[in-house]
Amino acid sequence: MKIGIIGAGPRGLSAAERILRNNKNKQKLQLFLFDPVGPGGRIWRLDQPKELLMNSVSQQVTLFTDETLSSGGVVAPGPNLYQWSKGPAAEYIEQKAGKEKQLYLDEIKRLEKDQQSTRCLYSVYQHWFFSQLQKEYGESLSLIDSLVEAVDKTDDGFRLKTVQKSYTMDRLILASGHWENEATGEEQAFSEYAREHQLFYQMPANPADVALDQIPAQEPVILRGLGLSFFDYVGLFTSGRGGRFEEREGKLVYHPSGNEPVIYSGSRRGLPYYPRGRNQKQGGAMAWPKLLTKENLKKWHEAGNLTGELFFEYLKKDVELFYYKKIIEEHQLPIDIPVFEKEFLAESTVSCLDRYPGLKPYRWSWEKLSSPITDSNHDFAAASRHFIEDQIMEAEKGNCTGALTSAFDALKDWRDPIRQAMAWGIFSVQEYKDILWGWFTHLNAFLTIGPPVIRTKELAALIDAGIFHLIEPPLAIQKESGKFVIHYGNEAIKSRFLIEARIPKTDVLKTENPVIRDLSKNRLIRPFKLKDETGEYATGAIEVERGTNRVVCSSGEIQTDFYCFGIPVEGVDWLTAAAARPYTDPWNLRQADTIAQLILSDG
C-alpha cells in the first residue's frame, strides 16, 4: 500500500510514525512524505532567524507517544525535546548540522527543561526524528522534497503531481501547515495603495518569510496585531539587528544598535498577549476540573442536557473555582478550601463570594480580563506599560503558585473537554459562532497562547527605550498623502511601512496553497459549514468526519482513503497548531494514531 502524506511538519511526521509503528500485520507499506522544505516544514524549517523561539518549554514538546496514549495504538516512547538535547542531539548535530553546528551545540548545552528552544533547534529535533524512522524502516519511508501542486482521484487512489513528476497513491493524508490567503478587500486596497505610492505593505505571513531587510533603520513602521507574530517581530527588529538586552536590577535594559526602525503597534484590544507563566509543572502534571470531568460530560450529554451556553457556564465556574483556591493558597487566607469548594459548586458564584470578604480584592472578572484598560480618561501609554509590568509579575509567580497564571494554565489543560463538546455537536450555529469562536477563542488566545515571558520583558525594555509604541484602540490606518497614517496620542505618524503582524487564518476558499486549491477545484474537499434551523456558519476549514478525520468531498460523501488533520481543519477542530506535550495523552498524537489504525485496517 502506497500512502502519501502532504506536509512534513510535526503532524505529517507523527502520521508517518504512527502508521509504521502500528503495522502489526507487516503489510507491505511505502510512505511518501511530500514537503519542499523537508522535515519541519515551512514554520519549523532550519534556515530561519535564530531569534525566533518556540512558545512551549522544551520538556513539554515531543513527537513520541507514551503510556498515556488512549487511542489504542502501539506505544513507542522516545525523548522529548529537552531529553533529546541532553542525549542523542550532540552526536546528530556533529554529523549533520553543517556550518550551523556550533550554534546548535551551544544551544543544547545551555537549554534548560523549563526554557523555550529556538524554532531552528525544534527543526533539528524533527530532522533527527525522521532520520530515526528511516534507519528503522528503510525503504518504506521516503521524503519527496517537492511541492504537491495537484491531486487527481483515480479508480484506485490518487495521483499527486509535483513540478518534476507524478506519484500514484492508495491513501492520502493532508497535513499541511499555515499558508498565505488571497487578499481581503481591505488588504487589496492597502496593496494597491502601496504599489501606487512605492510603499511596503505586508499581508499576514510567517514573520520569518518577510523581507524585513527592505525596512531601513529609524523608519517608522506600523504593525497591526499584538499576538504571537508580533512578538516574532520584537526579536527580528531588535536583537536580530544587532541590539542587545542587559539585565539590570531584575529588569531588562535595551542597548540599541542604531539599525532598528521605530515601531507603532496596535490591535483591537490594544494590548499584547499574556506571556507564558514560569513553568512549575513537571512530567504530565495537569490541573483537573471539578465540573467538566469526563464522567460529568458523558452523563449530561447522554441526558440531552448539554448545550454550548451551558458548557461554557460550567467552564467559567471551573476556572473561577480553580483561581479562588489558588488565591487562598497564594495569600494564605484563613479559608477552609474543601468547605469553600463545596459551597462554590453548590450555589451561585455571587452568593458564595459574598460570604468570603477576604476574596473581595481578588474578584475574578471575565470582562476585565477581556478589556483590561477601560477608563476613557487614562493615559493609554502609561496604562498599557503598567499592564505589561503586571503581566510579567504574574507570569513570574509560576503556573502552580501564582493564582492568575495557574488559572490561565488550567485553561490550557482543559482543552480536551472543549474538543469533546465539539465532537458531540452540542453547539448551535449561534453558540458556535458567537461563544466558541467569537468570544472564547479570542480570549483564550489572549490569556493562554502567549510568548515566552522573556519576550514580554524585552517588549517592556523596548517601550522604555522609545523603539516600540502601543497604539490606543481602535487602530485606524488611513491612506493619506502617499503614506500610511495612524494617530499616536495627538501626533499623526506617517509611515511607508505597514505589516499585518499575524499568521494567515485557515480559509479553504481563499487559500493560495496550490494543492488545497486543486483539491477544491477537483471537488475532493469542501468547506465546513455548521447548519441548524437558525442558519449556518462557515469557518474556513476543510470538512472532515469528526473522530476519524476522513475528508468529506463536495457531494457530502465521506472518503475512506483520504484524511486531513491539523491546520487545514481549524474550525472543525480547535487549536490545531498546539505542540504535543508528553504524558498528557496529547490530542494531536491521538488523532495521528487513529488515522494510522484506520488506514491499516482498510489496507
Side-chain angles (χ1 to χ4, degrees), residues 339-381:
V339 172
F340 172 78
E341 178 179 306
K342 184 177 179 180
E343 293 175 354
F344 191 88
L345 291 173
E347 56 189 284
S348 76
T349 301
V350 173
S351 64
C352 177
L353 293 178
D354 283 346
R355 292 200 305 281
Y356 292 93
L359 293 174
K360 189 173 182 180
Y362 312 106
R363 289 287 181 100
W364 177 281
S365 168
W366 293 97
E367 293 75 18
K368 183 71 173 174
L369 285 170
S370 182
S371 302
I373 300 176
T374 55
D375 182 3
S376 59
N377 297 317
H378 62 257
D379 175 344
F380 184 78

Side-chain angles (χ1 to χ4, degrees), residues 567-584:
I567 304 299
V569 299
E570 179 73 15
V572 179
D573 287 335
W574 185 68
L575 293 190
T576 54
R581 179 179 160 194
Y583 312 115
T584 62

Side-chain angles (χ1 to χ4, degrees), residues 97-289:
K99 64 180 181 179
E100 303 287 351
K101 177 173 70 175
Q102 195 57 50
L103 286 173
Y104 294 129
L105 290 173
D106 290 344
E107 182 174 358
I108 62 172
K109 186 176 180 179
R110 66 174 182 267
L111 183 65
E112 299 175 6
K113 63 181 179 179
D114 291 319
Q115 184 183 46
Q116 291 85 357
S117 82
T118 63
R119 293 185 195 168
C120 297
L121 188 65
Y122 183 36
S123 180
V124 179
Y125 176 62
Q126 293 178 67
H127 278 258
W128 170 82
F129 180 86
F130 179 76
S131 74
Q132 297 304 108
L133 289 178
Q134 278 198 314
K135 277 183 186 177
E136 187 168 352
Y137 294 99
E139 295 180 358
S140 295
L141 179 62
S142 302
L143 176 68
I144 310 297
D145 57 352
S146 299
L147 181 67
V148 176
E149 297 186 335
V151 176
D152 293 325
K153 191 81 170 80
T154 64
D155 291 340
D156 52 1
F158 302 88
R159 183 167 62 250
L160 280 59
K161 300 176 184 176
T162 69
V163 171
Q164 291 84 4
K165 60 185 293 188
S166 295
Y167 300 82
T168 301
M169 300 292 151
D170 302 299
R171 303 287 186 272
L172 180 61
I173 301 173
L174 178 62
S176 56
H178 292 286
W179 204 281
E180 293 76 23
N181 292 329
E182 297 173 6
T184 65
E186 183 186 43
E187 291 166 353
Q188 185 63 39
F190 280 137
S191 295
E192 291 173 358
Y193 183 75
R195 281 194 295 271
E196 182 181 347
H197 297 282
Q198 290 78 55
L199 306 177
F200 180 102
Y201 174 65
Q202 178 61 55
M203 285 177 51
N206 177 9
D209 297 332
V210 178
L212 298 181
D213 56 353
Q214 296 182 30
I215 300 177
Q218 310 302 318
E219 283 276 354
V221 176
I222 302 169
L223 295 185
R224 183 158 65 170
L226 289 167
L228 291 181
S229 290
F230 163 76
F231 281 99
D232 288 345
Y233 289 111
V234 169
L236 294 171
F237 277 130
T238 57
S239 53
R241 290 195 170 201
R244 65 182 180 87
F245 294 92
E246 176 192 4
E247 187 167 346
R248 189 182 298 168
E249 296 179 356
K251 292 188 177 182
L252 293 184
V253 175
Y254 185 65
H255 299 280
S257 66
N259 295 321
E260 301 88 350
V262 181
I263 310 295
Y264 295 86
S265 308
S267 67
R268 286 177 295 182
R269 187 179 280 110
L271 297 168
Y273 281 15
Y274 270 89
R276 298 287 179 100
R278 178 172 60 89
N279 184 57
Q280 298 169 301
K281 291 181 176 178
Q282 304 303 309
M286 296 178 70
W288 297 101

